Amino acid sequence: MTIIVLTGAPGVGKTTAVIRVARVLKERGVIVGGIVSRELRTNNMRIGFEFIDLTTNDTNVLASITGNGPKVGKYFVNVAGCRFAAKRLTNAVRNSDVIICDEIGPMELKSKEFIGSVKNLLDVDKKVIVVVHQKLQHLLIDEFRNKSSLLINVDLENREKVNQILLDRLIT
């Protein structure tokens, strides 16, 4: 089991790094599954976030500035979107060589299904990358930190090297 935890300030390049690594791994024939999340923007304004399934490229809304559901900051969390992500993570555990979960943060933790699927990542005998929201203080995060074989705090100085560090750990 290999668990790599990425953390760092918002916008520093954590998601970009895992997307690039997923692309390289897939080009090399590695089966990569899981989810990444990205901002949703309209007229250069962030209006929410969405999940992207790394296997199918299907998307589902994580949170938006309109709607209903639990509120985190100015965003309403789409619990159905979190269930979508949980199912994708569960599928990745069954069908993938490398599992990516971007990210574990306050919005995602509003879903019991999501929390359950993330906890399952602690016990799989596969290679796992999790991106953890920098300010999150939660027992789950400590469990990942305790089990991780590598914890990387991504910043402006090391973000260009993170891809290679991840690939070196994941390609055997």
Side-chain angles (χ1 to χ4, degrees), residues 38-40 46-51 60-63 75 107:
R38 71 174 169 201
E39 294 182 346
L40 291 171
R46 187 167 67 193
I47 59 165
F49 301 89
E50 72 178 349
F51 289 114
N60 203 310
V61 172
L62 160 59
Y75 300 101
M107 293 180 195

Side-chain angles (χ1 to χ4, degrees), residues 23-32 97:
R23 188 178 307 124
V24 171
L25 291 172
K26 286 178 179 182
E27 287 169 359
R28 295 182 183 195
V30 176
I31 301 168
V32 179
D97 302 318

Side-chain angles (χ1 to χ4, degrees), residues 126-144:
K126 297 191 176 191
K127 296 173 181 179
V128 178
I129 303 173
V130 292
V131 177
V132 176
H133 189 281
Q134 185 182 38
K135 294 197 164 85
L136 194 64
Q137 296 301 317
H138 190 275
L139 178 61
L140 187 61
I141 305 317
D142 289 336
E143 289 180 48
F144 273 101

Side-chain angles (χ1 to χ4, degrees), residues 4 51 65 98 100:
I4 300 171
F51 289 114
I65 56 175
V98 175
I100 295 175

Side-chain angles (χ1 to χ4, degrees), residues 54-70:
L54 285 167
T55 302
T56 64
N57 288 324
D58 291 344
T59 62
N60 203 310
V61 172
L62 160 59
S64 65
I65 56 175
T66 59
N68 54 26

